[in-house]
Amino acid sequence: MTWDWQVFCRNTTEGSIEPTCWAGHGDLTYLQWMFQAWGWTLSVAACAWVVSVVVGGLVGTARTLPNSPWLVRLANAWVELFRNIPILVQLFIWYFVVPKLFPAFRQVPGFLLVVFALGFFTSARIAEQVRAGIQALPRGQRYAGLAMGFTTAQTYRYVILPMAIRIILPPLTSESMNLLKNSSVAFAVSIAELTMFAMQAQEETSRGIEIYLAVTALYALSAFAVNRVFAFIERKVQIPGFIVAGGTGGH
């Protein structure tokens, strides 16, 4: 087997020309195309992450509210709905079914529909983590906040959530990495991200090994960067004697 890494320097529109890493006249090399696809992957993942954290945080908090049984039931229904349907099925529903049922969504770009699908799917998992983090705290934390005259919202804002978020940072790190990797399903609805690039470039160049190895390296690099960012945050917000970054044990 021979390697041909110069495939990334070839022009995407004229594969037979002499390889050059700087294609002119508006043409792209496969290397430039791959980096553009990487940008789409990161964009989808970042936007979906924002949606999932905001919605997941609200739903997870609602599941632990006292004296709000209907709100708790609605939050539980959200989690069970989006957690029990495969992400690819949800993506197809958002992309093909929702615009048929709700004409207003026909004007929504496909990029946003993918973001909603990934974001809501992941929000159910993050909501479960938030619920577990809140319920892992001693009940005395809630009672202490109420004894100080805080409302329920203030107790969550200033007492419960700051502690719970520290507890769930490790699983939230894994979920964020999974979200980045799950963004690969966007190829199924023609979003020009890394997986779609790999499939098309392999067909055009017949150099699947080089293409897929490069794409794998970019996915691994992206996931590792997410891991390091969350590890840095975990170290900065840890409470000595309560949360120790890296899970190396307590003091």
Side-chain angles (χ1 to χ4, degrees), residues 39-161:
W40 279 106
T41 291
L42 297 179
S43 298
V44 169
C47 293
W49 185 85
V50 172
V51 172
S52 66
V53 169
V54 172
V55 177
L58 292 174
V59 173
T61 301
R63 298 181 73 194
T64 65
L65 290 176
N67 306 319
S68 301
W70 284 106
L71 193 57
V72 171
R73 291 189 182 98
L74 287 175
N76 288 338
W78 178 280
V79 171
E80 296 305 323
L81 174 65
F82 287 99
R83 187 173 60 175
N84 294 327
I85 302 175
I87 177 56
L88 194 57
V89 174
Q90 293 190 37
L91 179 63
F92 286 153
I93 290 175
W94 274 97
Y95 200 82
F96 297 110
V97 178
V98 171
K100 296 289 186 181
L101 297 178
F102 305 97
F105 279 89
R106 295 175 185 174
Q107 307 302 322
V108 177
F111 175 86
L112 289 181
L113 296 177
V114 172
V115 167
F116 290 150
L118 283 171
F120 290 160
F121 172 79
T122 309
S123 73
R125 305 167 68 88
I126 292 180
E128 184 67 13
Q129 294 167 9
V130 172
R131 180 201 61 79
I134 292 174
Q135 293 182 342
L137 296 174
R139 291 186 178 181
Q141 296 281 350
R142 186 194 305 270
Y143 298 150
L146 296 175
M148 293 179 64
F150 287 169
T151 64
T152 299
Q154 289 173 328
T155 301
Y156 273 87
R157 167 65 178 84
Y158 296 108
V159 180
I160 297 176
L161 288 178

Side-chain angles (χ1 to χ4, degrees), residues 6 16 18 69 87:
Q6 282 191 331
S16 61
E18 186 69 21
I87 177 56

Side-chain angles (χ1 to χ4, degrees), residues 9-20 24-25 27-28 30 204:
C9 296
R10 294 178 189 167
N11 191 287
T12 57
T13 57
E14 299 180 46
S16 61
I17 67 173
E18 186 69 21
T20 171
H25 306 295
D27 295 327
L28 293 177
Y30 283 99
E204 295 178 9

